[in-house]
């Protein structure tokens, strides 16, 4: 009897196994056939099953045994169909051709792919090089950050400022990365231009909220910029000459199909025009910036690839020999990609980041320099595990060692009357581990859940303080080098879900907690290269935000149009603001004596209507929002407007292809003026007028609006050579938008106070010539 039962079980098992479907995995890398560049976010689809390539072009898809037609597509690329017989695990490396763009009879061409309706990721925006190229630019210099500021929920900090505000966050609450390296000051020429040369950029991704667990360190957003790898198929040279700048890009294979290089340089020459000035004092002034991007990559067999990339940029501003200021960033990234298996991908990165500024004062006996710096050494390890077609897991760790030199005043000679003053260096060690899983629960429902755990340790050597409620030092604690002063541990949960209502629409919701341990100290209305970065201390606690968001997404008219709407509510803890009358540039290690701490909140709704195909493309975005703080000791302990609070923000961006040769474009923006603190009255002390202030940020700058127009004339388009002229007019109707407003006594009536408005730009035309061969 037992033998019969055993035999029956064996037979049943054999039958089940004979009917069970075996599964195999197809994996590989997606690249451009023309340049060899890996393609980020390419879609690989087999019927209802599908996946997308990761940040390095790798994909993995597991299917049952059988014959399939694999469809691969990417932005700006032709769709490719590949028949495969899947009876074992296979490697399939895909090379996609550029999209054919014949304009005979003005063929309608998709300019970008549809937003993913099924992905749970919210608050994400991607920019292509074409979209950046077609935006009219100040003085003809295409600018990534200026383009980003035209997206919904992202607000420009104003003329002469490359900073931006995202969903109620301050400018320092945005994590800006170039090839994984943090860029602490992303501006050139005091904010008129960004540090990013568009010719060196491959991909721009903005996370306005709900950012994945692999990102951390900032409350509001992530701007992840990746450089081109370099053409590994053929050599090419491109560049451009404009009114105030010139640039050159060289790339090509070191060993075809295996390795390549990229070198991109840019320099302005506005200072050269100063030599033509009639005023001799202007001829001695200096005003310019330069930057350099470089990258190498090399394939070591079929499973390994290494990358080495770097950026170096510097600004120089000087008034003759009496005053000079220079500031700049330098970054370096070494990356190693390794494919452990057809389901497990690894990226290891060693990253260096540095930002510093130096001010030189030369005035006879008072010759001295002021120096400040923030420097990071960063190690990051990440794995991407394609567990099944329904579960995609990312996990890893990140460790960063921060060194901040907040300020050093050094005399340049023994004869100087200025004494040396060195603020204490600050050291900290930031660690994080994270894991996240994107789970396809059903054909309509997808969920992403994860956790990031951050440990921030304050390290000696140095003195740390206890502060009274009045801002006085009550106690000083000294620590030796390498000693742990305090460690903050913060969990950061992430949760997002999407539900696809039908083939063209979906709804999404998300919750994310973010923690920030580095803070920018500034009390001016605009960002400055001399703003101070400070780390969390025993008194300055980590900033914490909790963001809730819900959105609706719909593709219209055969995916030609796209409508999105997202609403959010964000609470913020341990927010920083300044005591009334604070001096944030106080020559003391105890910056905490000038600060107060409290909470904040931000809420709003964002709409975008986008046309993605045809001769006319572009978008209209509108943001309605509110941002407030409540800090004891400020504004009678009541809620008050944050500096970045704006009620309305509108952007209209259009591009029109007239014919084969001409493309015209325009953008119009409007936003409510920033919240500012103006004097409420005045009094005299020793015949000197002193203004006094009451409500913090209780007034508004005037509303801002501006129209920019541009046109691109394609001069020549050959296989080996192309060239074009770009024309633009910034602030086309000459609006005098307020940059600053100051107050003074009227010369005609000293009893009367008058406001003086300074505007920067009116009617700024430009022309630039661009070429490639």
């Amino acid at each position: 009897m037992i033998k019969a039962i055993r035999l029956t079980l064996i037979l049943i098992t054999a039958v089940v196994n004979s009917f069970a479907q075996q599964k195999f995995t197809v994996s590989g890398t997606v690249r451009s056939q023309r340049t060899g560049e890996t393609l980020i976010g390419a879609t690989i689809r087999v019927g209802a099953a599908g996946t997308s390539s990761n940040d390095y072009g790798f994909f993995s898809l597991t299917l049952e045994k059988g014959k399939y037609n694999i469809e691969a597509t990417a932005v700006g690329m032709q769709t490719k169909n590949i028949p495969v017989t899947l009876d074992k695990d296979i490697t399939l490396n895909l090379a996609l051709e550029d999209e054919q763009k014949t304009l005979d009879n003005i063929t309608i061409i998709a300019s970008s792919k549809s937003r993913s309706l099924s992905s749970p990721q919210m608050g994400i925006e991607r920019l292509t090089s074409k979209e950046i190229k077609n935006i009219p630019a100040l003085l003809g210099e295409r600018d990534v950050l200026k383009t980003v500021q035209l997206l919904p929920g992202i607000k420009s900090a104003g003329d002469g400022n490359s900073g931006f505000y995202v969903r109620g966050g301050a400018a320092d609450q945005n994590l800006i990365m170039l090839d994984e390296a943090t860029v602490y000051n992303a501006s050139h020429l005091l904010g008129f231009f960004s540090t990013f040369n568009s010719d060196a950029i491959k991909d721009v991704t903005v996370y306005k909220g709900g950012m994945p667990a692999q990102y951390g360190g900032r409350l509001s957003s992530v701007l992840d910029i990746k450089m081109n790898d370099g053409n590994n198929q053929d050599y090419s040279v491109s560049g451009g000459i404009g009114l105030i700048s010139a640039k050159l890009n060289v790339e090509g294979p070191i060993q075809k199909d295996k390795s390549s290089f990229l070198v991109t340089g840019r320099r302005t020459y506005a200072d050269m025009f100063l030599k033509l000035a009639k005023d001799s004092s202007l001829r001695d002034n200096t005003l310019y910036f330069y930057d350099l991007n470089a990258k190498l990559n090399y394939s070591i067999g079929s499973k390994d690839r290494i990358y080495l990339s770097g950026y170096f940029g510097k600004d120089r501003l000087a008034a003759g020999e009496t005053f000079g200021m220079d500031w700049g960033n330098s970054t370096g990234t070494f990356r190693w990609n390794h494919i452990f298996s057809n389901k497990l991908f690894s990226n290891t990165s060693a990253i260096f980041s540095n930002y510093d500024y130096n001010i030189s004062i030369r005035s006879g006996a008072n010759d001295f320099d002021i120096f400040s710096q923030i420097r990071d050494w960063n190690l990051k390890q990440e794995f991407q595990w394609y567990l099944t077609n329904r579960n995609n897991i990312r996990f890893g760790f990140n460790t960063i060692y921060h060194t901040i030199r907040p300020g050093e005043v050094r005399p340049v000679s023994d004869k100087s009357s200025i004494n040396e003053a060195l603020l204490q260096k600050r050291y900290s060690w930031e660690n994080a581990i994270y894991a996240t899983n994107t789970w396809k629960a059903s054909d309509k429902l997808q969920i992403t859940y994860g956790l990031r755990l951050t440990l921030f340790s304050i390290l000696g050597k140095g003195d740390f303080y206890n502060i009274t409620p009045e801002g006085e030092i009550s106690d000083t604690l000294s620590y030796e080098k390498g000693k742990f002063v305090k460690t903050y541990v913060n969990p950061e949960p992430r949760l997002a879900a999407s539900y696809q209502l039908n083939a063209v629409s979906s709804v999404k919701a998300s919750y994310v907690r973010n923690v920030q341990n580095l803070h920018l100290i500034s009390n001016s209305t605009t960002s400055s290269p001399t703003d101070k970065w400070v780390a969390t201390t025993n008194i300055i606690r980590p900033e914490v935000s909790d963001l809730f968001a819900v959105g609706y997404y719909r593709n219209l008219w055969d995916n030609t149009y796209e409508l999105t709407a997202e609403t959010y509510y964000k609470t913020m803890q341990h927010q920083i603001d300044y005591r009334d009358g604070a001096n944030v540039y106080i020559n003391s290690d105890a910056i905490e004596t000038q600060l107060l701490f409290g909470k904040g909140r931000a809420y709003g709704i964002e709409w975008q209507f986008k046309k993605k195909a045809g001769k006319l493309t572009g978008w209209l975005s509108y943001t309605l929002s509110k941002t407030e703080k409540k800090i004891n000791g400020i504004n009678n302990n009541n809620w008050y407007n944050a500096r970045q609070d704006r009620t309305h923000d509108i952007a209209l961006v259009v591009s029109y292809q007239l014919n084969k040769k001409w493309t015209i474009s325009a953008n119009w923006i409007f936003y409510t003026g920033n919240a500012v603190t103006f004097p409420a009255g005045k009094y005299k002390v020793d015949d000197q007028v002193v203004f006094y202030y009451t409500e913090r940020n209780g007034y508004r700058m005037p509303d801002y609006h501006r129209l920019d127009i541009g046109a691109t004339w394609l001069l020549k388009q050959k296989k080996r050579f192309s060239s074009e002229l770009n024309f633009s007019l910034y602030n086309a109707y000459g609006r005098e938008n307020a940059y600053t407003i100051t107050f003074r006594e009227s010369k005609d009536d000293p009893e009367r106070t008058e406001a003086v408005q300074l505007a920067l730009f009116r009617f700024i035309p430009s022309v630039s010539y661009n070429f490639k061969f």
Side-chain angles (χ1 to χ4, degrees):
M1 182 67 179
I2 294 175
K3 289 183 179 180
I5 293 173
R6 184 179 297 169
L7 179 60
T8 302
L9 290 175
I10 291 173
L11 291 173
I12 292 173
T13 302
V15 171
V16 171
N17 286 338
S18 68
F19 283 98
Q21 294 291 325
Q22 291 178 284
K23 290 190 176 183
F24 299 100
T25 299
V26 55
S27 63
T29 302
V30 189
R31 300 181 183 276
S32 163
Q33 182 169 296
R34 181 176 60 85
T35 66
E37 289 273 357
T38 56
L39 298 177
I40 301 171
T43 300
I44 315 300
R45 184 164 293 282
V46 180
T51 187
S52 59
S53 59
N54 68 8
D55 292 343
Y56 307 97
F58 179 80
F59 73 93
S60 176
L61 189 62
T62 300
L63 302 165
E64 294 179 350
K65 180 180 178 180
K67 294 184 178 181
Y68 297 96
N69 182 67
I70 295 180
E71 180 184 270
T73 185
V75 177
M77 297 290 168
Q78 296 184 46
T79 299
K80 190 169 188 174
N81 292 281
I82 309 98
V84 297
T85 299
L86 204 59
D87 54 9
K88 62 180 179 180
D89 292 343
I90 63 172
T91 299
L92 184 66
N93 293 320
L94 304 172
L96 303 186
E97 296 182 8
D98 289 354
E99 194 172 44
Q100 296 296 321
K101 296 187 176 183
T102 59
L103 286 173
D104 296 329
N105 300 320
I106 312 298
T107 303
I108 292 181
I109 307 157
S111 62
S112 63
K113 68 176 183 180
S114 302
R115 183 187 300 269
S116 174
L117 296 176
S118 60
S119 170
Q121 182 63 57
M122 292 188 63
I124 185 173
E125 301 285 350
R126 292 187 183 274
L127 287 174
T128 66
S129 58
K130 179 181 178 182
E131 287 171 321
I132 297 172
K133 174 183 175 181
N134 288 333
I135 301 297
L138 174 63
L139 294 171
E141 191 64 35
R142 296 164 184 163
D143 197 312
V144 172
L145 291 188
K146 292 294 188 285
T147 306
V148 164
Q149 293 164 15
L150 298 171
L151 298 172
I154 303 176
K155 305 175 182 181
S156 165
D159 282 337
N161 200 322
S162 63
F164 56 96
Y165 309 132
V166 179
R167 292 187 171 178
D172 69 314
Q173 294 175 354
N174 306 308
L175 177 62
I176 302 175
M177 299 190 304
L178 179 64
D179 270 4
E180 299 185 87
T182 300
V183 177
Y184 282 99
N185 188 317
S187 68
H188 280 310
L189 289 185
L190 301 174
F192 296 124
F193 304 100
S194 79
T195 59
F196 305 112
N197 186 341
S198 59
D199 288 350
I201 292 174
K202 172 181 181 176
D203 181 79
V204 179
T205 304
V206 187
Y207 297 92
K208 299 182 294 184
M211 59 278 292
Q214 65 264 29
Y215 298 107
R218 298 294 187 274
L219 292 195
S220 293
S221 75
V222 175
L223 177 60
D224 191 355
I225 300 174
K226 292 182 172 58
M227 289 170 52
N228 286 319
D229 298 331
N231 192 325
N232 67 10
Q233 299 297 305
D234 198 3
Y235 297 96
S236 68
V237 178
S238 60
I241 301 173
L243 291 180
I244 68 164
S245 67
K247 54 188 177 181
L248 187 68
N249 179 81
V250 182
E251 59 183 314
I254 300 173
Q255 186 176 356
K256 191 173 182 179
D257 292 323
K258 196 168 187 177
S259 58
S260 63
F261 73 92
L262 168 76
V263 179
T264 301
R266 180 175 58 159
R267 191 195 191 278
T268 58
Y269 35 77
D271 53 321
M272 297 180 183
F273 291 105
L274 295 177
K275 305 296 182 185
L276 305 176
K278 295 182 180 179
D279 188 339
S280 60
S281 63
L282 291 177
R283 291 198 295 268
D284 295 330
N285 291 345
T286 302
L287 179 63
Y288 69 89
F289 74 79
Y290 64 89
D291 50 37
L292 177 71
N293 296 76
K295 193 166 186 178
L296 297 170
N297 71 91
Y298 184 77
S299 290
I300 308 172
S302 60
K303 294 182 179 293
D304 297 274
R305 192 175 190 90
I306 58 173
Y307 302 81
L308 181 62
S309 62
Y311 167 85
F312 181 79
K314 184 71 74 173
D315 283 71
R316 177 67 178 166
L317 171 65
E321 298 181 355
T322 60
F323 172 81
M325 181 170 70
D326 60 77
W327 67 95
N329 298 274
S330 54
T331 70
T333 304
F334 173 80
R335 290 202 305 262
W336 170 39
N337 289 170
H338 178 67
I339 301 173
F340 282 97
S341 71
N342 52 23
K343 290 190 175 186
L344 183 61
F345 181 90
S346 165
N347 178 62
T348 306
S349 301
I351 307 160
F352 168 80
S353 180
N354 181 85
Y355 172 71
D356 59 53
Y357 68 81
N358 187 79
I359 300 173
S360 301
I361 305 294
R362 303 292 182 266
S363 58
N366 298 322
D367 293 349
F368 62 96
D369 292 336
I370 303 172
F371 179 79
S372 183
Q373 178 188 59
I374 180 169
R375 173 173 290 181
D376 293 345
W377 293 97
N378 184 353
L379 177 64
K380 183 177 181 180
Q381 173 63 57
E382 180 173 288
F383 297 94
Q384 192 163 358
W385 184 21
Y386 298 83
L387 181 61
T388 67
N389 287 346
R390 292 185 177 274
N391 291 274
N392 186 343
I393 301 172
R394 297 181 76 152
F395 59 97
F397 70 86
N398 191 200
T399 181
I400 310 173
Y401 185 78
H402 303 285
T403 303
I404 299 178
R405 297 164 68 177
E408 301 176 359
V409 178
R410 297 182 183 272
V412 298
S413 69
D414 295 336
K415 298 179 180 180
S416 176
S417 61
I418 302 297
N419 295 323
E420 184 177 68
L422 306 179
L423 299 183
Q424 297 179 92
K425 294 182 182 179
R426 293 300 190 188
Y427 306 95
S428 53
W429 187 21
E430 187 169 7
N431 293 280
I433 56 174
Y434 59 88
T436 186
N437 180 34
T438 299
W439 172 42
K440 187 176 181 181
S442 69
D443 290 340
K444 292 188 175 184
L445 177 65
Q446 286 196 39
I447 300 173
T448 296
Y449 55 92
L451 177 68
R452 182 181 180 90
L453 182 66
T454 302
L455 297 88
F456 189 87
S457 299
I458 308 159
L459 304 176
K461 175 181 179 180
D463 295 333
F464 294 84
Y465 310 97
N466 289 325
I467 306 294
T468 67
E470 293 75 29
E472 302 293 331
I473 298 175
S474 62
D475 193 15
T476 300
L477 306 173
S478 297
Y479 291 84
E480 296 298 322
K481 183 176 181 180
K483 295 294 184 180
F484 283 78
V485 179
K486 188 178 180 66
T487 296
Y488 294 93
V489 180
N490 282 290
E492 302 176 43
R494 315 286 168 95
L495 178 64
S498 67
Y499 185 80
Q500 193 155 347
L501 301 172
N502 49 48
V504 296
S505 64
S506 67
V507 292
K508 304 181 184 183
S510 69
Y511 162 74
V512 61
R513 166 167 283 200
N514 288 310
V515 174
Q516 179 166 333
N517 284 291
L518 297 177
H519 323 277
L520 193 63
I521 304 299
S522 171
N523 64 355
S524 63
T525 56
T526 59
S527 297
S528 165
T530 58
D531 291 343
K532 287 186 178 182
W533 283 96
V534 299
T536 291
T537 67
N538 57 317
I539 295 174
I540 302 175
R541 300 182 63 186
E543 299 178 68
V544 179
S545 73
D546 293 279
L547 175 68
F548 303 84
V550 177
Y552 174 76
Y553 312 83
R554 187 176 184 88
N555 292 326
L556 303 167
W557 294 287
D558 197 26
N559 290 341
T560 302
Y561 296 85
E562 177 183 276
L563 174 67
T564 66
E566 293 187 3
T567 185
Y568 65 90
Y569 185 87
K570 177 162 63 175
T571 61
M572 294 170 280
Q573 304 173 42
H574 312 142
Q575 295 300 283
I576 303 172
D577 214 330
Y578 316 102
R579 294 178 183 271
D580 291 336
N583 176 13
V584 299
Y585 301 107
I586 185 173
N587 189 25
S588 168
D589 290 314
I591 187 66
E592 295 93 335
T593 62
Q594 306 297 304
L595 306 177
L596 293 172
F597 309 94
K599 60 184 179 180
R601 63 188 179 191
Y603 47 91
I605 186 168
E606 307 160 3
W607 288 277
Q608 184 183 54
F609 182 71
K610 187 173 186 179
K611 187 174 187 293
K612 303 177 295 182
K615 294 186 294 181
L616 178 68
T617 58
W619 67 84
L620 172 65
S621 65
Y622 171 63
T623 303
L624 174 67
S625 61
K626 185 68 179 176
T627 308
E628 299 173 297
K629 289 183 177 181
K630 185 177 183 182
I631 297 177
N632 289 339
I634 299 176
N635 201 44
N636 296 320
N637 303 337
N638 295 317
W639 288 98
Y640 63 95
N641 295 326
R643 178 175 128 189
Q644 63 270 22
D645 176 63
R646 288 195 190 138
T647 307
H648 306 286
D649 198 292
I650 303 172
L652 174 63
V653 179
V654 294
S655 177
Y656 186 75
Q657 185 82 50
L658 282 174
N659 50 44
K660 291 182 179 181
K661 294 288 187 180
W662 283 94
T663 301
I664 58 175
S665 57
N667 59 262
W668 181 79
I669 61 175
F670 169 91
Y671 55 76
T672 306
N674 287 345
V676 292
T677 303
F678 286 153
K682 64 180 180 179
Y683 55 91
K684 283 191 175 184
V685 177
D686 296 331
D687 292 327
Q688 296 294 320
V689 174
V690 178
F691 293 104
Y692 69 87
Y693 300 83
T694 54
E695 186 178 358
R696 181 76 61 94
N697 295 340
Y699 298 85
R700 292 277 178 187
M701 295 288 281
D703 291 342
Y704 182 105
H705 53 89
R706 188 189 78 239
L707 172 69
D708 307 326
I709 56 176
T712 299
W713 178 21
L714 182 62
L715 300 174
K716 186 170 291 188
Q717 180 72 64
K718 301 292 184 181
K719 183 176 181 181
R720 300 298 304 176
F721 180 79
S722 63
S723 61
E724 65 182 26
L725 279 174
N726 181 271
F727 308 91
S728 66
L729 179 60
Y730 186 90
N731 198 7
Y733 52 74
R735 163 81 172 179
E736 291 188 327
N737 290 296
Y739 178 65
T740 62
I741 294 179
T742 58
F743 296 86
R744 67 185 183 191
E745 289 184 291
S746 171
K747 294 181 180 179
D748 299 328
D749 182 5
E751 296 299 319
R752 185 168 60 89
T753 300
E754 58 184 15
V756 181
Q757 174 178 301
L758 172 65
L760 291 181
F761 301 121
R762 291 191 69 191
F763 308 115
I764 304 296
S766 67
V767 59
S768 60
Y769 172 75
N770 301 300
F771 62 90
K772 184 174 184 179
F773 60 88

